[in-house]
Amino acid sequence: MKLIVKFNLVLSAIFAVAFVLAGWFTHALLQRNAKAEIEENARIMIDGATAVRTYTSQEIKPLLQTQMTYTFMPQSVSAYSANKYFAQLHKNYPEYSYREATLNPTNPTDRATDWEADIVNDFRQNPNKKEIMAERPTPTGPVLFIAKPLAIKDAKCLDCHDTPDRAPRTVIEQYGSANGFGWKVGDIVAAQIITAPMQLPIERANSAFTAFMLSLAAVFIVLIVAINAMLFYLVIRPVNRLSSIATEVSLGNLEVPDFQASGKDEIATLAEAFGRMRKSLVEAIRMLEG
């Protein structure tokens, strides 16, 4: 097996191992960054909804308290404001969704689905738990959701949710007296749930991974070609010429031209040593012939 073949086999094995390790590390890093991006976006949105809820309860609701005695004003409800806020975001980010899933809601549209009810019950069974984050499959692909509990912390919230006879007349006229009552201070009645798509960020990560691996493969190929060219011109060709001269000398052709090597590298040193050996051999042969 020729030297250049052995060299390429070793070099290819090294590059193959490096390629696999680089691919594994890069893929893991890009996937982790994609999930971190999804999580960060979801947290920003759910924190924004929480800020709107707080602003509504502290700033808007007191201003509309008088009007509520004459007509129901949904703008005074924190959940309404948060949903309206997210509806505006949804126009630009249709893949995201926001819910205030409630076990016993005043507004039927807020009633928790099966999987949402499981989250609310989980919070109720574990009151110290502040957040649930997990992935779940959907028909359009996997999604990440972040859920936070909504508990009754202010007794003023019970004005509309204690008993039907204590609720404002306008609330009963709007939603009836069948749902949204019996709440108590400290109860976890709902959960804020933000759902973020995973498919698009992961697809972007996969595209970046493919582009990186193709670029890395191209770099490896260029390096192998360049190293082979250097090996051929700097080592293989000079050694082959030396080998040819040595063969001619061994066959008795003492007139073969010397190998001229410039520089002070190992090949030049080898050529000088071979030249001295050849001169010594020629002189020894002439002495024997004389």
Side-chain angles (χ1 to χ4, degrees):
M1 185 180 293
K2 292 186 177 181
L3 177 64
I4 195 168
V5 176
K6 294 180 180 179
F7 181 83
N8 276 290
L9 288 176
V10 174
L11 189 63
S12 298
I14 294 173
F15 279 175
V17 172
F19 188 79
V20 171
L21 291 176
W24 175 81
F25 176 79
T26 303
H27 185 269
L29 179 63
L30 289 173
Q31 293 296 316
R32 184 166 63 249
N33 288 344
K35 291 183 179 180
E37 176 188 349
I38 299 167
E39 180 181 339
E40 182 180 6
N41 292 339
R43 289 190 186 282
I44 291 173
M45 290 186 174
I46 200 169
D47 288 344
T50 301
V52 171
R53 284 180 56 85
T54 302
Y55 173 76
T56 300
S57 62
Q58 295 180 356
E59 304 289 339
I60 303 300
K61 185 176 181 179
L63 296 177
L64 300 178
Q65 198 68 40
T66 302
Q67 288 90 326
M68 283 287 289
T69 59
Y70 302 102
T71 182
F72 178 73
M73 305 292 291
Q75 293 79 6
S76 65
V77 180
S78 298
Y80 175 87
S81 298
N83 280 298
K84 282 294 184 181
Y85 152 79
F86 199 86
Q88 293 299 317
L89 285 179
H90 189 72
K91 295 177 181 178
N92 295 325
Y93 305 97
E95 302 90 358
Y96 291 80
S97 65
Y98 175 78
R99 287 265 296 160
E100 293 198 7
T102 311
L103 296 180
N104 181 23
T106 302
N107 188 342
T109 60
D110 294 330
R111 187 173 299 279
T113 61
D114 291 341
W115 73 273
E116 293 171 339
D118 291 339
I119 293 174
V120 179
N121 287 323
D122 191 355
F123 282 130
R124 300 185 77 170
Q125 295 168 8
N126 303 278
N128 293 326
K129 185 179 290 187
K130 303 303 180 183
E131 179 182 279
I132 295 176
M133 181 174 64
E135 299 177 17
R136 63 183 300 266
T138 67
T140 58
V143 297
L144 174 79
F145 71 86
I146 297 178
K148 293 185 176 183
L150 289 175
I152 304 300
K153 298 180 179 179
D154 190 348
K156 292 182 179 179
C157 295
L158 300 181
D159 292 345
C160 298
H161 299 286
D162 186 5
T163 59
D165 57 304
R166 293 185 58 187
R169 174 184 55 82
T170 54
V171 173
I172 300 298
E173 291 175 352
Q174 180 74 19
Y175 296 110
S177 59
N179 301 300
F181 300 102
W183 296 7
K184 297 178 181 179
V185 174
D187 283 353
I188 296 176
V189 297
Q192 288 178 288
I193 303 175
I194 187 80
T195 301
M198 298 186 66
Q199 185 173 356
L200 184 59
I202 289 177
E203 285 179 354
R204 287 201 296 261
N206 289 336
S207 296
F209 172 73
T210 301
F212 172 78
M213 295 306 291
L214 289 175
S215 301
L216 188 62
V219 170
F220 281 173
I221 292 172
V222 170
L223 283 175
I224 288 176
V225 172
I227 292 173
N228 271 271
M230 292 175 60
L231 181 66
F232 177 77
Y233 286 105
L234 298 179
V235 179
I236 302 297
R237 188 169 68 171
V239 169
N240 284 337
R241 290 178 61 188
L242 277 172
S243 177
S244 297
I245 293 174
T247 300
E248 291 293 328
V249 172
S250 67
L251 294 175
N253 183 10
L254 302 180
E255 304 301 325
V256 63
D258 290 334
F259 176 75
Q260 303 295 327
S262 59
K264 296 183 179 181
D265 57 13
E266 288 78 359
I267 296 296
T269 302
L270 176 63
E272 291 177 0
F274 180 79
R276 289 193 299 268
M277 183 186 69
R278 178 187 175 189
K279 289 179 180 179
S280 298
L281 180 62
V282 170
E283 292 178 0
I285 293 174
R286 286 175 179 174
M287 289 176 63
L288 290 173
E289 290 176 348

